[in-house]
Amino acid sequence: MTSSSQTNFDLIVLGTGSAGQNVAISCREKGWSVAIIDPLPFGGTCSQRGCDPKRVLAGAAELIGRNRNLTNKGIASENAIEWSDLMDFKTTFVEGIPESTEEKFEQAGIRYFHGTASFTDTNKIQIGEQELTGGKILIATGAKPATLGIEGEELLMNSAGFLDLQKLPDKIAFIGGGYISFEFAHIAAEAGAEVHLIHNNDKPLKNFDPDLVEALVDSMRNLGIIFHLNTKTEKITQSGDAFVLEAKEEGKPLRLEIGAVIHGAGRVPNIDELDLEKGNVDADKKGVTVNDQLRSVSNPDVYAAGDVSGSPGLSLTPIAGLEARAVTANLLNEGNKTPNYTATPSVVFTYPMLASVGMTEAEAKDSGKDIKVNLVDMSGWYTYKRMGEKPSMAKVILDKSDGSILGAHVLNSNAEHLINYFTIAMRHGLTAEQLSDTLFAYPSDGSDVQYLLEL
């Protein structure tokens, strides 16, 4: 157990999310003295203010959509979301996390601090009135909402605020065309709100396949979501309990009176309060500048992992875990471990879900490879017809020279499962023929995979 007066540690970890926790506990198990610091409730974004509570709400919205698809096809009536009950259910997943995380640190003998950390020297961290010295330091402070430069920006609610809304406004707007806005817009619409999604160009979800994105947008429009593309938000003001959003849509004035405006326009590395210059830690807009082993290029005693690292990894929870394992191995001198980012899947948890892994069609064409693109409408297939699903689509990109799978993109209710089949194949070098030869249970989504892989 670390002494309460101890100020010198083998390792200081900044951030208690999945990356910070994993490294701290792993090093402590090897006998290192470890301190960990976080100004926010312990446990990180994903488990409390991100992926996990979001998926609870998205699950309810998905159920409403599935139910509607089968209304009058054996299901007697549509269900409805009771927002306050749903929020109470969501709370059961997050309410005990800070305390249980603190308890975990206590039992492991990790010294923990609540507060904002900042560098005072290359190996020194200030926390409140105390200065700590670390043989090694891990920065795992995650990401935060980007500054948008909008007049009245302080009136924006962030994603954490949306996930804690005790009452859903009748009318709500989301700024930004990324996955956060799409997921929350879908949840709010299924819960009965009038939803506006505002994006500054005509290409929302820019990292996903544009053909499938177009189909998803159409589906969400059918749900009643109003998309304002090529729209620049200029000003937000408060009027009593309501907000007024002023923007230019295709150059013409747009004015919305709404109950809440949600920031979904991107996140940036959470480094502003760290005084990195004093620690001789280089960073740019991607995060802490690191080498292949996630070590700071300017301070060899500092590492970074997760959303705050400037690594090639996507800002996803599995990447935080992957990078944490690499950092742990490198700290404990278990060889120079470089994270393997091959085939990182990403899912937008709307209904239908949109999932992607590997190259887009444009990237595959630019690669100079001899490719085959299979764009398939699956809505008439048994698997999806029996659930009344439209749209249901997939795009799979194959390398004709060796049969390898270069990319896969799926839009339907089973996308979260299908994308994992493709991810396994791509990460472990299975060809289209080998994946097609795999026996999947029938009838299931897996049994359809072979028909997406024809060379």
Side-chain angles (χ1 to χ4, degrees), residues 12-15 36-39 113-120 124-128 132 141 271-275:
I12 299 174
V13 177
L14 312 183
I36 195 164
I37 306 167
D38 202 327
F113 298 83
H114 295 275
T116 300
S118 59
F119 281 86
T120 56
K124 294 184 184 298
I125 297 291
Q126 187 77 31
I127 170 71
L132 309 180
T141 48
I271 56 177
D272 291 350
E273 297 177 315
L274 297 179
D275 282 340

Side-chain angles (χ1 to χ4, degrees), residues 226-418:
I226 302 159
F227 283 82
H228 303 273
L229 302 180
N230 292 314
T231 301
K232 182 173 175 54
T233 304
E234 295 181 331
K235 185 178 181 181
I236 301 164
T237 52
Q238 191 160 8
S239 175
D241 290 335
F243 299 89
V244 177
L245 183 151
E246 296 175 53
K248 284 276 176 27
E249 183 172 10
E250 303 278 5
K252 297 174 183 175
L254 170 70
R255 186 178 187 274
L256 298 173
E257 291 187 25
I258 40 193
V261 189
I262 314 298
H263 182 326
R267 292 167 69 80
V268 294
N270 185 18
I271 56 177
D272 291 350
E273 297 177 315
L274 297 179
D275 282 340
L276 294 180
E277 301 82 5
K278 291 180 182 175
N280 190 31
V281 178
D282 288 353
D284 57 23
K285 64 181 183 180
K286 286 186 64 184
V288 176
T289 311
V290 292
N291 64 15
D292 290 345
Q293 285 78 43
L294 301 167
R295 176 179 262 170
S296 163
V297 297
S298 54
N299 183 340
D301 291 330
V302 171
Y303 290 78
D307 292 1
V308 77
S309 84
S311 73
L314 299 177
S315 294
L316 298 169
T317 298
I319 296 299
L322 177 75
E323 294 189 347
R325 291 189 292 275
V327 167
T328 299
N330 293 330
L331 284 171
L332 298 174
N333 292 318
E334 294 174 354
N336 287 331
K337 190 161 181 65
T338 302
N340 176 10
Y341 301 106
T342 302
T344 302
S346 183
V347 182
V348 183
F349 288 101
T350 46
Y351 178 79
M353 297 176 202
L354 176 62
S356 175
V357 64
M359 291 184 183
T360 62
E361 182 178 354
E363 289 168 341
K365 285 178 177 173
D366 288 344
S367 73
K369 296 177 184 289
D370 184 14
I371 64 170
K372 173 136 190 278
V373 179
N374 294 335
L375 175 60
V376 184
D377 178 356
M378 300 187 289
S379 54
W381 293 13
Y382 168 80
T383 305
Y384 306 101
K385 185 178 178 181
R386 73 181 178 84
M387 298 303 290
E389 274 197 43
K390 285 185 179 181
S392 178
M393 300 171 63
K395 180 183 284 188
V396 179
I397 302 146
L398 306 173
D399 186 333
K400 287 202 273 191
S401 69
D402 60 8
S404 60
I405 304 165
L406 300 176
H409 312 273
V410 185
L411 176 69
N412 59 38
S413 67
N414 292 331
E416 62 174 327
H417 305 302
L418 285 167

Side-chain angles (χ1 to χ4, degrees), residues 106-136:
E106 186 84 41
Q107 291 173 350
I110 294 170
R111 180 89 189 279
Y112 53 85
F113 298 83
H114 295 275
T116 300
S118 59
F119 281 86
T120 56
D121 204 341
T122 52
N123 286 77
K124 294 184 184 298
I125 297 291
Q126 187 77 31
I127 170 71
E129 298 297 313
Q130 283 189 286
E131 187 177 67
L132 309 180
T133 301
K136 303 292 181 185

